[in-house]
Amino acid sequence: MKRYELPTMFTIRGVIRKLGRRRLSFCVVLALFFLIALQIFFHPNVKDMLELHKCPACYGVSLCSDILQGPSEISISFDYMGRLGVFANIITTKNVFSGLLNDKRVIVKRLGHSSELHLLDKKICLAMGSQEDCGAKLKQVVLKVPNIHGSIEKVLNESKDFNEFRLRLCPSTEHVRTLFSPILPKVNGSNDGRLDNDGTTAHIWTLLLINPEPLFLQIMRAEDGWPVPHYLGACGRIAVTLHAGEPLVDFLHRSWPERAGLALQLLLAADRFTFSHPQFAFYLLDISSDNIVVNEKGKLSFVDLEHLVVVDRHPTYIPDTWNESHVSEVYDDCPGCNTFSSDSLCQHHISDHNHHVICEQLLGPGIGSSGNSLPGGLLHSIPSDIQKQYPQIVVFLNECSLGKGKDHIRSARRLRDTLNIASKESPLFGDQKLLQTWKYF
């Protein structure tokens, strides 16, 4: 018997002794009964989730023709985990479910907790000056919001606190139509659409009030090489994406070459979000291993785009510090803390925020908060042969994650390039997926 199996066996025996065989058998039977009952009897009503009667105070209707197959037929079916999620939603109100749509694995999101969805309706009513619940009239109310263009700009700029805002566009909102041009209807063939009191603008405004993620999945499309899930569309108050993989934390103990490939993708993603758009830089404010998944081909995706600061890199009027690069703060009394100031991000044409947070929270040696789900960092346990041949890996990793006053973008890029060189030169990598990483970007 292998030694590493002994602790597990002793643990199991301890549980059996503590519970007793009869109690343990009862718990197993009860769990099996619950799972079977969940599969057979629990069939959540997707139509209730759609809330189509509230449109255009909803997320869109582009996917309704695929979802609705008649008065009583729905083409989305929840798989086992999706049903469990719906059942758990009664307690947790997370409102994210997995399922099938036309034989494709999908993720269905209601984009907010149940309490947040209720608050959304109240916000829309208040925008029309109604102090009472106008839920029955939302369909008419949302198209009559005074100056909806101005209301959208206000939402994008009115709040600066992470817990209060979903999205901030700065240092000005003058190019808001450019930001949403991939979504807005084209006018006379122009890419610069209008934010009028129509259905599409109502969808944009509604999403900004609850969760802007579907908007950015259309601005930064997976089809164009962005590291995000493929967006299928919306129907009423659900948004649907293709299932993009399993959580990054599941890969913490994979082979080092495989983890190095994921690290390289994360560093490329930092560049992509910061530099790839011709007009805007996108700074992700909730980068964590919970919000990143990896599919069966090793491709990585960011699956939570709820909190962002979007910096217009070509504003008409620029702040005094605009031409200086913003450098993320590193605090001795709070090592690994993901601290930021949206005001600071907005005062500079470029920031190292994405690069620093990815190095500090995901790749580095696990000095973050006590809740760090990647202890040791994704690049832990570097093989001795790699350390001897490429000692710069540790140097650049420490610089981009811990370095005070360092150019974290430069350090992250040096780490990226060193990993890429190692993948081509070291026999340790063999036929690993790292060499294919660049094709994803």
Side-chain angles (χ1 to χ4, degrees), residues 318-364:
I318 61 175
D320 293 339
T321 57
W322 185 249
N323 292 322
E324 303 172 12
S325 295
H326 171 256
V327 177
S328 298
E329 296 283 353
V330 178
Y331 298 96
D332 290 332
D333 58 346
C334 189
C337 292
N338 181 9
T339 57
F340 69 91
S341 163
S342 62
D343 281 337
S344 295
L345 294 176
C346 293
Q347 297 299 310
H348 303 267
H349 76 291
I350 212 68
S351 170
D352 66 358
H353 172 82
N354 290 330
H355 298 78
H356 175 59
V357 173
I358 282 175
C359 286
E360 182 183 57
Q361 298 293 319
L362 301 177
L363 305 185

Side-chain angles (χ1 to χ4, degrees), residues 44-52 78 86 89 95 97 108 110 235-238:
N45 190 334
V46 180
K47 270 197 172 181
D48 289 344
M49 295 184 183
L50 300 182
E51 296 188 285
L52 283 169
F78 289 123
V86 175
N89 180 60
N95 280 323
F97 318 105
V108 178
R110 298 194 70 195
C235 182
R237 287 197 172 175
I238 66 168

